[in-house]
Amino acid sequence: MTKRNNLLILILTVGVFGILNTEMGVIGLLPSIAEHFNVSISKAGLTVSVFALAIAISGPTMPLFLSGINRKKVMLLVLVVFVIGNIASVFTTNFTLLLIIRIALALFHPVYCSMAFTVAASSVKPEEAPKAVSKVFIGVSAGMVAGVPIASFIDSAVSYEMAMAFFAIVNAIVLVTTLIFVPSMPVEERQSYGEQLAVLKKSIIWVSVVAVILLNASIFGVYSYIAEYLETVTQMSPNTISLTLFVFGGANIIGNIVAGRVLTKKPIKSIVTFPLLLTVVYILLFFTGEFAVPMVIITFLWGILAGGIMANINQYLISSSAPETPDFANGLFISACNVGTTVGSAAGGLFISEMGTPYVVLVGILSVILSLVVILLRNNMGNPARQFSK
């Protein structure tokens, strides 16, 4: 990989960090948002849930709509929207207006992420694509994991307004570096909307989408309630819980790197092995959840597998099913992930209310087993990515 490619991938990685940071970082600001706008904490939570819903809707549509335009121009447009939107979020005093701003940003979220994955993959040889994409996914993991504590720290140390401004600053830095260092990327062979939508006729696309929804549900059905699980089942102290969550986040990044490497070499085996190992980890978690030390070790292993699945495995499942329409496929991937997150967290809440906190792990076990069935079905349909070795 050349120095120019390395710089490009670094910019894309920081870029998706900025985008994901804008989405997830407000989780650490919910108490301050509730106080700032004089709304309930549950209403403040709409800044997260409405954002995710808008992403699920715009995932397949917005990247498709903008797929024929020079990719550099589109990424610059998205970054400008995020900078302006985040600056507006700092100064608004109306909660409804804040939600409207969040929805507008969410509509453009899949555009940048989709193109970042596509550009990273196309900047290297086909067989090296999973490894290049895995590096960009480090930004996704960092945005999801680091965004919350960073925003929370700035909020408590400085102010709520400065925490919101942090989102704008990160996106502004990426905007400037993209403008200066990223080359023009015109779309050489523009595909019609009809040509791109035609991939929806392929049964393997729908099977892959179902697999991604189930895999993400298997992770977020448990992860959404992990803090409560560690507090009530493992009976950890708040500081130990924070440390355990940090372990999970660090392991996510390791999982991105590991999955990128193994997908490059053995993609078909990898998409079965990761969910299979996740099943084992969930079973261990179910039976040893009361013990602190085993939980930290299991959380580390869980983080590696979750990091590889949430990003690399899920993206590979859909992108390799429609290699002829990379932008649209990545949009489908982003949408399917958000649907899976919503379904998983809802199922986790249902299991907790009906059976108790320890049984939330069953959502993960059932979802990942179902995903394995779907993945095996997909593998029997044939591997569409002919350029990768089995």
Side-chain angles (χ1 to χ4, degrees):
M1 193 179 294
T2 65
K3 288 183 179 179
R4 189 172 183 176
N5 282 347
N6 283 330
L7 178 61
L8 173 62
I9 289 174
L10 176 62
I11 292 170
L12 295 173
T13 302
V14 179
V16 294
F17 167 74
I19 301 294
L20 266 293
N21 192 32
T22 299
E23 176 188 1
M24 306 298 291
V26 295
I27 292 174
L29 304 179
L30 291 184
S32 291
I33 290 173
E35 182 182 350
H36 189 80
F37 293 96
N38 195 27
V39 296
S40 66
I41 193 72
S42 59
K43 194 170 183 181
L46 290 173
T47 57
V48 179
S49 56
V50 167
F51 200 103
L53 180 62
I55 291 173
I57 295 170
S58 66
T61 54
M62 288 293 283
L64 175 67
F65 179 67
L66 297 169
S67 61
I69 304 172
N70 185 304
R71 285 177 176 140
K72 179 177 179 177
K73 292 181 179 178
V74 174
M75 287 195 288
L76 288 172
L77 168 65
V78 175
L79 291 167
V80 167
V81 169
F82 266 74
V83 171
I84 294 173
N86 281 316
I87 291 173
S89 299
V90 174
F91 295 103
T92 184
T93 55
N94 183 284
F95 183 72
T96 302
L97 181 57
L98 178 65
L99 288 181
I100 292 170
I101 293 169
R102 297 281 294 170
I103 291 169
L105 295 179
L107 293 176
F108 285 90
H109 173 295
V111 177
Y112 186 92
C113 292
S114 169
M115 289 196 172
F117 305 144
T118 302
V119 170
S122 62
S123 68
V124 296
K125 296 177 181 178
E127 62 271 16
E128 294 291 319
K131 191 183 294 184
V133 172
S134 74
K135 292 180 179 179
V136 176
F137 271 119
I138 291 174
V140 176
S141 294
M144 293 179 68
V145 177
V148 176
I150 290 173
S152 181
F153 172 77
I154 297 173
D155 179 32
S156 60
V158 187
S159 67
Y160 159 77
E161 288 83 2
M162 196 61 212
M164 295 295 283
F166 170 68
F167 304 149
I169 292 167
V170 174
N171 286 300
I173 291 170
V174 179
L175 173 62
V176 173
T177 54
T178 300
L179 187 63
I180 297 171
F181 297 110
V182 174
S184 177
M185 294 179 286
V187 179
E188 295 176 1
E189 294 182 15
R190 182 171 181 174
Q191 294 177 302
S192 68
Y193 298 149
E195 287 175 322
Q196 295 184 73
L197 289 170
V199 301
L200 295 176
K201 296 177 181 178
K202 297 165 65 173
S203 56
I204 194 167
I205 275 285
W206 293 105
V207 172
S208 299
V209 166
V210 172
V212 169
I213 290 172
L214 287 168
L215 283 172
N216 241 42
S218 74
I219 293 165
F220 281 94
V222 184
Y223 180 67
S224 298
Y225 305 95
I226 189 60
E228 182 182 349
Y229 187 94
L230 293 173
E231 180 183 354
T232 59
V233 179
T234 317
Q235 296 186 336
M236 286 183 175
S237 67
N239 287 341
T240 309
I241 290 173
S242 297
L243 178 62
T244 306
L245 294 176
F246 178 76
V247 167
F248 182 89
N252 266 204
I253 295 174
I254 295 172
N256 289 156
I257 297 169
V258 171
R261 292 182 184 278
V262 296
L263 276 170
T264 301
K265 297 175 181 177
K266 300 287 183 181
I268 303 305
K269 290 180 181 177
S270 299
I271 62 176
V272 174
T273 303
F274 268 70
L276 196 60
L277 291 175
L278 183 62
T279 307
V280 175
V281 165
Y282 276 152
I283 293 171
L284 290 173
L285 190 152
F286 184 75
F287 287 107
T288 63
E290 298 177 7
F291 307 102
V293 174
M295 269 302 296
V296 173
I297 297 170
I298 289 168
T299 300
F300 177 71
L301 297 174
W302 177 27
I304 291 175
L305 296 169
I309 289 171
M310 285 189 295
N312 310 73
I313 300 290
N314 282 345
Q315 196 268 347
Y316 173 84
L317 282 168
I318 294 183
S319 65
S320 65
S321 300
E324 67 273 32
T325 57
D327 291 327
F328 182 52
N330 282 322
L332 282 176
F333 151 69
I334 294 167
S335 183
C337 283
N338 278 273
V339 171
T341 299
T342 304
V343 170
S345 58
L350 183 63
F351 269 62
I352 288 174
S353 62
E354 294 294 327
M355 302 173 69
T357 303
Y359 295 94
V360 71
V361 182
L362 294 181
V363 174
I365 294 173
L366 293 172
S367 299
V368 78
I369 289 173
L370 287 173
S371 74
L372 273 168
V373 173
V374 176
I375 288 169
L376 291 173
L377 171 64
R378 179 189 184 279
N379 287 351
N380 286 333
M381 297 172 75
N383 177 22
R386 302 291 181 188
Q387 68 267 36
F388 297 125
S389 64
K390 294 186 181 182

